[in-house]
Amino acid sequence: MLTSTRKGTIIRSALHHTFKTDPGMLPQFQALEGSPADTPGQARNGVNPDADVQDVRAEPGSGRRHRRSSRDSESGVSRVFVLDRRGDPLMPCHPARARTLLKKGRAVAASLRPFSIRLRDRTGGGTQPLDLKMDPGSRTTGMALVRNDGEVLSLAEIGHRGERVRKSMPQRANYRRRRRSANLRYRKERFLNRRSGRRLPSSLQSRVDNVLSWTERFRRLAPVTGIRCETVRFDTQAPESPGIEGAEYQQGTLAGYEVRAYLLEKWGRKCAYCGSAGTPLQIDHVRPKARGGSDRVSNLTLACPSCNRAKGSRTVESFLARRPGRLRRGLDGAKAPLRDASAVNASGRVLFEGLERTGLPVSGHSGGRTKFNRARLGIPKSHALDAACVGETPALKGWDQPVLGIRAMGRGSYSRTRADRSGFPVGYLMAGKSVRGFRTGDIVCAVVPSGRKRGVHSGRVAVRASGSFNVQTAGGTVLGDSHRHCRIVQRGDGYGYRLDTTRQKETATMHGTRDPAFLHALKDGVSCGVDR
């Protein structure tokens, strides 16, 4: 067990992941109790929303009232999840409120990541409607917990391991084939004897399972009343089908958004001619329309403004005649399959059906609507913020907050050997996963009293049979910490965690202008952003 001093240090570090809270300001009661809708001209706790300065209520009996500027209240703070005595979820609270409850002994820490507390003197309470929004992706899925008034309570990004699963499947098949040929040569082949009932391959099913697992976990931590999921990222069937009917739905406010999302994914958000990234990109025709080209998606590419002007109405072969390497890469990119997009499209229906089985109302929304909301509100692009913009989003508050990074790590491997490049076994692994009560993936706190590694190291542990462990901290990996110095803070659950506190509030503008980074015409620029 952790001592009270060490445990308090870890809890304080988890609560101080944001530095936007004045340590002298006591929190409000609103975070733990549901409140009725605000009446016109009066906000919750009797505060006028139009005033520049708000009065924040202190604890009963303190006799003090603290004043907070409305400018400071606009900053986003990641909330702390709250459970009652029976483990039922309540409304998430402000970190300052959680610190007060822990200091007074009214609550205890329930989990470190995501950080949650359990009240010791309360059962039940009023709650407010919360929507769990998600933006499923091939490699990363963004999730956001948003209140009905548009306030973001928590942001998270789940990193999938579908590629690792895909690469490990042939290796597992080779191991099984070798065992059958070496030990059971007399047995008849049975390669079609496995009927799991799954509709997806293992690499895609792992993505679906990660999202469903964290959906259920957020339901246990917060009173989620609805789920909003982005079900369509881009529509490539309509532009590529020459005889399609009813194309008027592309002539409205969202005209061209699905095509832009398709091109950004296909070309990796880089110029197809010079490879520059992080610059405003424009849609260009591989074969110019002046030379018989069309507006089909297969004939569209992305180009920076300088390359687009230099190319003009020339063909890509004549424009890149002196750069054969770039020409070859450009033509290959035009024919490259969209593996990530195919993975999202293939697993979208299975994921949606899994969300419907939760019993909550589930609604699907287009990726074009997400991009429209993000550009209209001036919010930078990221997976978590895309999730916050899914569906109808009139306003969004408190989005500039730390993002909990969740990476699927797995729970170990069934393989008991390591293989070389040719597939032959090299060395043997431990038969058991537990060493001195620790397992790989546990979050530990190692207090080293002396030596070169003296200090406190907190992070994910990798165990060894010798009892000398490696601790992966935020500053790097500490090698060779003895098990005698380690204490378990949270048991491993198959995921690794990190907290991104570097996100700054900025507007999604280009070249410092205040204009939204999107236009309606096909020839206009495409907003640049981070790689998906």
Side-chain angles (χ1 to χ4, degrees):
M1 298 294 292
L2 287 174
T3 63
S4 59
T5 304
R6 296 174 184 171
K7 188 173 182 180
T9 303
I10 297 172
I11 294 174
R12 285 194 297 271
S13 63
L15 286 174
H16 282 282
H17 59 270
T18 58
F19 302 93
K20 302 178 181 299
T21 303
D22 186 358
M25 182 187 69
L26 291 178
Q28 305 182 45
F29 281 101
Q30 175 196 345
L32 290 178
E33 299 189 53
S35 304
D38 297 341
T39 57
Q42 184 178 5
R44 298 178 179 90
N45 296 333
V47 179
N48 185 0
D50 298 330
D52 293 335
V53 179
Q54 298 181 2
D55 290 335
V56 182
R57 293 183 177 179
E59 292 284 347
S62 63
R64 295 184 300 171
R65 296 180 69 88
H66 303 270
R67 299 174 68 84
R68 179 180 60 183
S69 172
S70 61
R71 181 178 302 177
D72 296 336
S73 64
E74 294 176 358
S75 300
V77 177
S78 183
R79 302 304 177 95
V80 176
F81 296 103
V82 182
L83 307 176
D84 64 1
R85 293 182 57 184
R86 297 179 300 185
D88 296 331
L90 300 176
M91 288 299 296
C93 71
H94 195 278
R97 175 65 170 164
R99 285 193 292 268
T100 303
L101 294 173
L102 291 171
K103 185 177 180 179
K104 292 184 176 181
R106 295 178 55 190
V108 295
S111 63
L112 185 64
R113 289 289 183 266
F115 188 75
S116 61
I117 61 175
R118 181 173 56 84
L119 300 179
R120 307 174 67 177
D121 57 354
R122 178 170 173 178
T123 300
T127 59
Q128 302 174 10
L130 296 180
D131 285 336
L132 180 61
K133 299 184 177 183
M134 59 187 65
D135 175 26
S138 174
R139 303 180 184 180
T140 305
T141 294
M143 304 188 77
L145 197 63
V146 184
R147 208 162 53 186
N148 278 4
D149 60 356
E151 184 173 356
V152 180
L153 303 183
S154 180
L155 295 175
E157 293 181 352
I158 306 174
H160 302 296
R161 63 187 192 107
E163 283 297 318
R164 284 177 287 169
V165 172
R166 184 184 65 83
K167 293 179 180 179
S168 63
M169 295 300 290
Q171 184 182 27
R172 188 183 71 174
N174 292 334
Y175 284 157
R176 289 175 173 175
R177 186 176 297 110
R178 190 206 64 82
R179 290 198 299 266
R180 286 195 297 267
S181 62
N183 306 328
L184 301 174
R185 292 172 291 182
Y186 57 87
R187 193 185 71 175
K188 185 178 179 181
E189 293 183 356
R190 296 182 294 179
F191 57 90
L192 293 177
N193 63 337
R194 294 177 178 86
R195 295 289 185 273
S196 62
R198 290 183 175 180
R199 298 158 52 184
L200 297 174
S202 300
S203 58
L204 299 183
Q205 187 65 38
S206 67
R207 298 178 173 94
V208 176
D209 293 341
N210 290 336
V211 177
L212 295 180
S213 174
W214 275 96
T215 300
E216 186 62 28
R217 184 172 300 190
F218 276 116
R219 289 186 61 192
R220 295 197 300 264
L221 295 175
V224 179
T225 57
I227 300 177
R228 296 178 181 269
C229 178
E230 181 179 305
T231 56
V232 179
R233 292 186 57 98
F234 33 73
D235 184 7
T236 59
Q237 185 64 30
E240 291 190 355
S241 300
I244 191 171
E245 296 289 339
E248 290 79 7
Y249 71 95
Q250 292 185 345
Q251 307 302 323
T253 307
L254 298 178
Y257 277 87
E258 307 296 344
V259 178
R260 283 174 170 79
Y262 176 91
L263 295 177
L264 288 172
E265 291 283 346
K266 182 177 182 179
W267 294 97
R269 304 180 184 276
K270 298 179 182 179
C271 176
Y273 302 133
C274 64
S276 61
T279 60
L281 301 175
Q282 299 175 350
I283 296 179
D284 184 49
H285 294 80
V286 178
R287 183 179 180 87
K289 298 187 69 174
R291 299 179 179 269
S294 64
D295 289 336
R296 294 170 63 91
V297 175
S298 58
N299 191 46
L300 299 179
T301 184
L302 296 179
C304 62
S306 58
C307 290
N308 196 9
R309 287 192 300 266
K311 179 176 177 290
S313 60
R314 290 187 293 173
T315 62
V316 64
E317 291 82 2
S318 62
F319 177 62
L320 299 177
R322 297 184 179 180
R323 290 180 287 179
R326 180 65 62 181
L327 174 61
R328 183 171 58 256
R329 286 192 296 269
L331 295 178
D332 293 342
K335 302 177 182 178
L338 288 173
R339 177 179 300 175
D340 294 339
S342 301
V344 174
N345 292 337
S347 58
R349 174 52 57 184
V350 178
L351 174 60
F352 196 82
E353 293 176 357
L355 295 175
E356 289 180 333
R357 288 194 294 269
T358 60
L360 296 176
V362 183
S363 59
H365 304 273
S366 170
R369 169 63 68 178
T370 301
K371 182 176 180 180
F372 175 78
N373 292 335
R374 176 170 51 81
R376 177 176 54 85
L377 299 174
I379 297 177
K381 181 173 181 57
S382 70
H383 300 285
L385 295 180
D386 277 355
C389 296
V390 169
E392 297 181 2
T393 310
L396 208 61
K397 300 178 295 183
W399 53 263
D400 56 329
Q401 62 177 261
V403 179
L404 178 62
I406 307 168
R407 183 183 178 187
M409 306 294 293
R411 296 181 179 270
S413 174
Y414 290 105
S415 176
R416 300 271 63 86
T417 63
R418 298 188 184 275
D420 59 7
R421 183 177 301 178
S422 302
F424 293 98
V426 178
Y428 292 88
L429 303 178
M430 297 184 303
K433 294 183 178 181
S434 179
V435 177
R436 308 280 185 173
F438 298 87
R439 288 194 174 194
T440 297
D442 293 344
I443 300 178
V444 302
C445 177
V447 182
V448 182
S450 61
R452 294 181 302 173
K453 305 168 186 175
R454 183 178 59 181
V456 180
H457 314 297
S458 299
R460 191 173 185 269
V461 68
V463 301
R464 296 177 180 172
S466 61
S468 180
F469 302 156
N470 298 340
V471 180
Q472 184 179 1
T473 64
T477 303
V478 181
L479 304 177
D481 275 349
S482 174
H483 68 89
R484 296 189 300 270
H485 302 149
C486 297
R487 297 294 183 271
I488 295 179
V489 178
Q490 180 173 318
R491 286 291 184 181
D493 54 359
Y495 296 93
Y497 302 96
R498 63 174 177 82
L499 199 62
D500 182 11
T501 59
T502 61
R503 181 154 299 160
Q504 301 293 332
K505 187 173 182 179
E506 58 186 12
T507 55
T509 58
M510 301 165 62
H511 295 294
T513 62
R514 301 294 299 179
D515 298 330
F518 69 95
L519 294 174
H520 300 284
L522 185 62
K523 293 289 291 185
D524 291 334
V526 181
S527 61
C528 56
V530 297
D531 293 338
R532 310 264 323 168

